[in-house]
Amino acid sequence: MDKEHEVLLNAFVIAKKRYRVFYNAGILVWEDESSKKAKTTVPITDVLSVAVSKLPHANGKQWTKRSKAPPSPPSAGPIARNEAHGSLDSDRIPVLSGSTTTNTLATNASNTIPHNHSNRDQNRPKNLLLFLNPYGGKKNALALYERFAKPLFRLAEVDINLIITQRAQQIFDIVTSKSIALENYDGLVCCGGDGTFAELFNGLVTRTMIDRGLDVKHPPFLPKPNIPIGIIPAGSTDTVACCLNGTTDIKTSIIHIILGQHSGLDISAVYDADAVARHDEESPSTMGKPRPQLLKMFASALSYGYLGDIAYDSEKYRWMGPKRYDYSGFKKFLANRGYNAEIVVHLDRRGKQDPNDGVRCLDKCNRCKKALHGREDGGTSVENDDTEPLVVRGKFLMVSGANISCSCERSPQGFSPYCHLGDGLLDLVLVRHTSMFNNLRLLLTMTSKTKKLSELPFVEIYRTKEFRFTANRQPEHNGGEIAPAISSETMRRSKWNCDGEVLLDTNIIVESNCQLIQVFRRGILPSGGTGHGGSDQRGTSNALASSFDSQSSPSYNPWP
């Protein structure tokens, strides 16, 4: 740091310890004066706003409390805005990203800085359309929004158009409706679980197809929306939020949305394989085959067998809340059902796509950057000419296509810890049908912080851009013979669990789309720990510190 240009902003006492805050070369530093090593730093561009107190600073004997005046009338203008931020005795100043001088921290008594000026300079969102699902997870999304999201959005002067949903697929219907002008918003945000997020991006991609005049049932390609989306975790597992930010901390997700940085996220599309097979039988010589019917898109995982059975069975116990998954999971674990299937997976002919390569998707990921660069050049991360099909047959307990690692608090390593967010590929996880003892090993591995599914001998993982699944194909026996009998056991079918939603179509084709959508997030920084896949998001402390108050009000202390 440049000691010559260090500027002291404030000095005060907390619990008989003296602290000071100073500004140095674009960095705000919070320091314990008794211990020079106890410092917390945050870039000036991460600050949401600054309150310059008009009251005398605390002298160490006691804190000066802000007086609470009654609300001003709507015509009060700037004063009303300060009241809304809980800062009646101070001027709240937007922080300008392009400046590294102390002018951005100067008192703005005349309110000469225009409203939302910082948003414009930093490309931060100033108008957001937010969907809140009050029924997902523990049904506390509205309470979480009121407690955490609403104050932070007000602090950053972000205007929120809040829509509280009342039924399933309402977000999809609203976003795809022409009555709503998406260009009036800087982003779309949902407060809920993974299913709520899936509704949002499915609706947004469909709306983009409608705006471009594409056939939404048989699109020739999936267009990339030009508006970013975000998620405020309030679900049962919050897998997507955990993989995006490295944590399910709700304040971190909100502040990442406010800061406005976003990056690409792969989205996998599910197509009806039966329609393709019928077309091949009717017109086998046709050269120009139509695109298959698009059934759904998913961001986290698509699972057949064990997890599909849980999703389908748990619908009968929605009154139990999140506990219904544990109840249905226990039932299906005891049933230990296996399902015959044939999977055709397209693998890299050069053998460069190893799902166990040990490379995690962290900040400034080279693999995701290369994949995006290849897509912009008209290619993909793995060209069709560089792949060869591999046919896998057998009886499976579970078949899962992981678009992300799927790590969460219940499963710290997820399905595949080295699955990347934006490389245009997904990891296909095949769990062979085996004994109850091995099933128990599977569940214990899923909940372990260090063990991985790939270490189990009855688990296979393939990295691919697409795969095709066909149910009820007979497994091959010794000598290549096929079992002739068709019993109820071989004809048994499961359902697909698509981002928490049940998909009834069984035979499908899955294809990954490289960085199809943009999501509000910051890169996950590596750390020495192993929690959540051995990574740490860009600082829960930094994220909380992004809201800096020069008075350090006891009512909201952003510093842990």
Side-chain angles (χ1 to χ4, degrees):
M1 292 185 179
D2 189 356
K3 290 292 183 181
E4 295 182 0
H5 297 88
E6 184 176 290
V7 178
L8 179 64
L9 300 178
N10 204 349
F12 39 81
V13 175
I14 302 177
K16 298 182 180 181
K17 290 185 178 181
R18 291 189 59 84
Y19 295 87
R20 68 171 190 158
V21 176
F22 58 90
Y23 176 79
N24 191 322
I27 302 294
L28 287 175
V29 182
W30 170 286
E31 180 181 77
D32 183 353
E33 291 188 0
S34 61
S35 176
K36 297 298 183 181
K37 295 182 179 180
K39 294 183 179 181
T40 303
T41 62
V42 58
I44 190 69
T45 53
D46 287 2
V47 177
L48 303 186
S49 61
V50 175
V52 180
S53 176
K54 294 179 181 178
L55 298 175
H57 292 294
N59 58 9
K61 296 181 180 180
Q62 65 179 14
W63 283 97
T64 303
K65 296 184 179 180
R66 295 176 180 171
S67 61
K68 294 186 178 180
S72 301
S75 59
I79 297 178
R81 186 167 65 246
N82 285 340
E83 290 175 357
H85 289 77
S87 177
L88 303 180
D89 299 308
S90 61
D91 295 305
R92 194 161 297 281
I93 304 170
V95 180
L96 312 181
S97 65
S99 174
T100 57
T101 67
T102 57
N103 291 338
T104 59
L105 303 176
T107 303
N108 183 28
S110 60
N111 293 299
T112 55
I113 298 180
H115 182 53
N116 283 328
H117 183 68
S118 63
N119 291 342
R120 205 164 47 242
D121 284 1
Q122 296 192 36
N123 293 321
R124 294 183 179 181
K126 55 184 178 180
N127 296 300
L128 294 174
L129 179 59
L130 193 150
F131 298 94
L132 188 145
N133 177 11
Y135 304 109
K138 298 180 180 179
K139 300 182 179 180
N140 60 347
L142 184 58
L144 292 174
Y145 172 81
E146 291 289 341
R147 181 181 177 185
F148 299 110
K150 192 174 181 179
L152 284 172
F153 283 131
R154 281 182 174 178
L155 183 72
E157 298 185 343
V158 179
D159 295 328
I160 301 295
N161 183 5
L162 176 64
I163 297 178
I164 301 178
T165 61
Q166 300 299 321
R167 59 176 174 83
Q169 294 301 311
Q170 186 176 359
I171 298 176
F172 181 90
D173 294 339
I174 293 174
V175 174
T176 55
S177 173
K178 283 285 189 177
S179 61
I180 184 170
L182 298 182
E183 60 272 12
N184 294 336
Y185 299 97
D186 300 317
L188 306 181
V189 178
C190 65
C191 182
D194 298 337
T196 307
F197 183 73
E199 267 196 60
L200 179 59
F201 71 75
N202 270 274
L204 181 58
V205 175
T206 303
R207 172 63 181 273
T208 307
M209 289 191 284
I210 294 173
D211 292 342
R212 297 191 182 185
L214 300 177
D215 185 354
V216 296
K217 290 186 176 181
H218 304 274
F221 65 96
L222 296 184
K224 187 175 183 179
N226 56 8
I227 181 171
I229 65 176
I231 181 172
I232 299 175
S236 301
T237 56
D238 298 317
T239 300
V240 174
C242 184
C243 292
L244 292 178
N245 302 320
T247 178
T248 56
D249 177 69
I250 186 172
K251 297 179 291 296
T252 299
S253 298
I254 296 166
I255 292 175
H256 285 188
I257 293 171
I258 291 173
L259 294 178
Q261 298 179 5
H262 49 81
S263 58
L265 174 66
D266 292 346
I267 296 295
S268 292
V270 184
Y271 298 94
D272 185 3
D274 287 336
V276 177
R278 286 193 298 268
H279 180 272
D280 292 342
E281 292 175 359
E282 295 171 0
S283 305
S285 60
T286 303
M287 296 297 294
K289 295 183 179 180
R291 290 288 291 176
Q293 180 181 354
L294 176 63
L295 301 175
K296 210 72 177 175
M297 290 170 278
F298 67 93
S300 57
L302 177 78
S303 296
Y304 182 87
Y306 178 66
L307 294 180
D309 291 345
I310 292 176
Y312 184 71
D313 183 70
S314 63
E315 288 297 312
K316 298 181 293 185
Y317 310 104
R318 295 194 69 89
W319 55 271
M320 297 177 62
K323 293 292 185 181
R324 68 185 186 271
Y325 299 115
D326 297 330
Y327 176 68
S328 295
F330 180 70
K331 287 172 56 181
K332 299 306 174 183
F333 175 80
L334 294 180
N336 190 22
R337 289 183 174 177
Y339 300 93
N340 293 314
E342 177 185 276
I343 301 104
V344 181
V345 53
H346 295 266
L347 301 179
D348 182 16
R349 194 185 302 271
R350 300 162 297 180
K352 293 184 178 180
Q353 304 299 337
D354 181 10
N356 299 312
D357 56 9
V359 180
R360 297 182 185 270
C361 188
L362 300 176
D363 187 32
K364 300 178 182 178
C365 176
N366 290 327
R367 180 186 299 170
C368 296
K369 284 184 179 180
K370 292 180 180 178
L372 179 61
H373 179 72
R375 186 174 186 270
E376 291 175 345
D377 289 344
T380 59
S381 55
V382 179
E383 298 292 341
N384 291 332
D385 294 340
D386 294 331
T387 63
E388 58 183 358
L390 172 68
V391 180
V392 183
R393 298 185 183 93
K395 191 175 184 180
F396 303 93
L397 173 73
M398 183 174 64
V399 175
S400 297
N403 201 65
I404 55 181
S405 67
C406 298
S407 62
C408 61
E409 292 183 356
R410 292 187 177 185
S411 179
Q413 295 289 338
F415 282 135
S416 182
Y418 307 123
C419 187
H420 284 235
L421 297 173
D423 62 350
L425 301 169
L426 57 87
D427 286 359
L428 178 63
V429 182
L430 307 180
V431 181
R432 299 278 183 173
H433 185 249
T434 180
S435 64
M436 290 282 290
F437 174 74
N438 282 335
N439 291 347
L440 181 60
R441 292 174 62 192
L442 175 72
L443 296 182
L444 293 176
T445 303
M446 288 288 293
T447 58
S448 172
K449 293 183 178 181
T450 57
K451 297 181 180 179
K452 305 175 183 61
L453 289 184
S454 58
E455 299 172 357
L456 299 174
F458 50 91
V459 175
E460 306 165 33
I461 301 181
Y462 303 95
R463 179 158 292 166
T464 180
K465 178 176 175 56
E466 65 175 285
F467 69 89
R468 180 169 182 162
F469 179 93
T470 306
N472 300 332
R473 290 297 177 93
Q474 294 288 338
E476 291 187 0
H477 293 265
N478 293 334
E481 296 181 359
I482 305 298
I486 300 178
S487 63
S488 59
E489 174 72 16
T490 59
M491 294 304 295
R492 179 186 295 156
R493 292 193 179 193
S494 179
K495 306 293 188 295
W496 286 99
N497 181 342
C498 184
D499 273 351
E501 182 180 348
V502 177
L503 189 63
L504 299 179
D505 299 83
T506 303
N507 299 332
I508 59 172
I509 298 173
V510 180
E511 182 179 295
S512 177
N513 296 270
C514 183
Q515 302 191 26
L516 183 65
I517 62 173
Q518 292 290 313
V519 290
F520 289 113
R521 66 181 295 265
R522 306 186 71 177
I524 300 176
L525 296 179
S527 71
T530 58
H532 290 313
S535 62
D536 186 16
Q537 54 87 32
R538 190 181 285 273
T540 303
S541 58
N542 278 358
L544 296 177
S546 300
S547 173
F548 169 72
D549 187 327
S550 67
Q551 185 64 18
S552 297
S553 168
S555 61
Y556 178 68
N557 181 14
W559 305 89

